[in-house]
Amino acid sequence: MKELEESGFLKGALSAEKQLALISGCTDLKAAVEGAAFIQECTPENLELKKKIFGQLDLIVDDNVILSSSTSCLLPTKLFTGLKHVKQCVVSHPVNPPYFVPLVEIVPHPETDPSTIEKTYALMKKAGQSPVKLNKEIEGFVLNRLQYAVISEAWRLVGEGVVSSTDLDLVMSDGLGMRYAFIGPLETMHLNAEGISNYCERYHEGMRLVLNTFGPVPEFSGEIEQKINQAMSEKIPVVPQQLDARREWRDECLAHLAKLKKQMKSD
Ligand SMILES: NC(=O)C1=CN([C@@H]2O[C@H](COP(=O)(O)OP(=O)(O)OC[C@H]3O[C@@H](n4cnc5c(N)ncnc54)[C@H](O)[C@@H]3O)[C@@H](O)[C@H]2O)C=CC1
Ligand SMILES: O=C(O)[C@@H](O)C(=O)[C@H](O)[C@@H](O)CO
């Protein structure tokens, strides 16, 4: 294991209790996962690569190890169907950067055993994460469906010249994001009126009218991509040092927010 870590081929390592193995670039899978009760695969978002790795893991693990994927969007049925240990398989989708953004989406395969879900949930809580359980798989799970809905409309609004890229991002960071850092969209509705039903009574027509103006799925290429890329690159040059410096600033903000959220914990 130590050799693997030093080789740089193994991102992460077995946890102190030798319970958790993070799998990314292992050259010796058996050695990397020996003694692990929970294996988190973190290789690039490539279905064939992940299927290959889970196929190899399937041959070497026993009936107790949980096999988990970090995948952003690949469905459990695509990843795990046909594996001998499919009941022990699950997606545990983290959010970047996972050390400051604690959410983890736990997504089952139709054959995932309920105990696999419960053990994964318990481990993520123990690790200080904020896990949510999806009852069934869906493309993009929940976080990326919400995130891509926002990105899709952001792309359209900038592409159609309604707003600049910078101001679009401000609408999120100094507007919606302020609230969403503490309460989600449904609780926001609930508090913005006298409860959800009152909100719907007041705003359902307006919401449907606006939503009916939403256009087709953007191509995320061409002139609009160039326009947004130019705006963002002027703000943060695509230079490793500049990107890293901005990520460090982002992480410092998230660290302070995490402390504030801990202080404000209401439940
Ligand atoms: N980066 C992000 O913000 C997030 C990523 N994810 C998901 O996590 C997974 C990993 O994402 P990243 O860390 O961004 O990926 P990445 O592209 O940075 O690669 C992760 C690791 O895989 C290893 N690797 C590359 N080719 C390999 C191969 N052929 N065989 C074995 N290992 C190989 C690399 O050494 C690297 O350490 C993906 O499925 C991604 O969708 C999920 C949430 C957020
Ligand atoms: O945004 C995130 O951190 C996660 O939701 C991800 O899965 C990936 O980074 C995603 O945005 C890539 O599409």
Side-chain angles (χ1 to χ4, degrees), residues 70-73 93-97 105 143-144 147-148 151:
S70 298
T71 181
S72 297
C73 289
H93 171 226
V95 183
N96 188 37
E105 292 180 296
L143 186 132
N144 276 328
Q147 177 165 233
Y148 295 164
I151 290 172

Side-chain angles (χ1 to χ4, degrees), residues 8 11 24-26 41-45 49-50 53 70-72 93-96:
K11 181 161 71 169
S24 59
C26 299
E41 169 273 325
C42 315
T43 58
E45 189 74 345
L49 172 59
K50 291 184 186 297
I53 288 175
S70 298
T71 181
S72 297
H93 171 226
V95 183
N96 188 37

Side-chain angles (χ1 to χ4, degrees), residues 6-157:
E6 284 167 355
S7 70
F9 274 100
L10 176 63
K11 181 161 71 169
L14 283 176
S15 65
E17 303 83 28
K18 290 206 176 300
Q19 288 296 303
L20 173 66
L22 297 179
I23 302 302
S24 59
C26 299
T27 52
D28 180 343
L29 212 47
K30 194 169 175 61
V33 301
E34 196 170 350
F38 186 95
I39 298 170
Q40 183 75 10
E41 169 273 325
C42 315
T43 58
E45 189 74 345
N46 174 303
L47 177 61
E48 290 317 309
L49 172 59
K50 291 184 186 297
K51 284 174 69 173
K52 187 186 94 181
I53 288 175
F54 280 106
Q56 291 168 346
L57 288 167
D58 198 37
L59 298 173
I60 57 178
V61 298
D62 62 24
D63 293 346
N64 303 305
V65 179
I66 291 177
L67 301 178
S68 174
S69 174
S70 298
T71 181
S72 297
C73 289
L74 299 173
L75 294 176
T77 45
K78 300 281 189 196
L79 285 172
F80 307 131
T81 296
L83 294 179
K84 177 189 170 196
H85 296 95
V86 64
K87 290 182 185 298
Q88 298 153 231
C89 294
V90 70
V91 164
S92 304
H93 171 226
V95 183
N96 188 37
Y99 37 85
F100 289 123
V101 181
L103 186 88
V104 176
E105 292 180 296
I106 300 173
V107 190
H109 181 284
E111 294 177 67
T112 299
D113 191 283
S115 65
T116 300
I117 302 294
E118 294 313 315
K119 288 175 187 170
T120 302
Y121 184 89
L123 178 76
M124 292 300 166
K125 290 291 276 187
K126 187 177 176 185
Q129 298 304 93
S130 179
V132 297
K133 300 174 199 170
L134 274 65
N135 300 317
K136 56 183 176 181
E137 68 178 21
I138 185 170
E139 282 73 7
F141 315 144
V142 174
L143 186 132
N144 276 328
R145 290 186 78 88
L146 294 177
Q147 177 165 233
Y148 295 164
V150 169
I151 290 172
S152 170
E153 205 46 32
W155 209 260
R156 192 186 338 281
L157 289 167

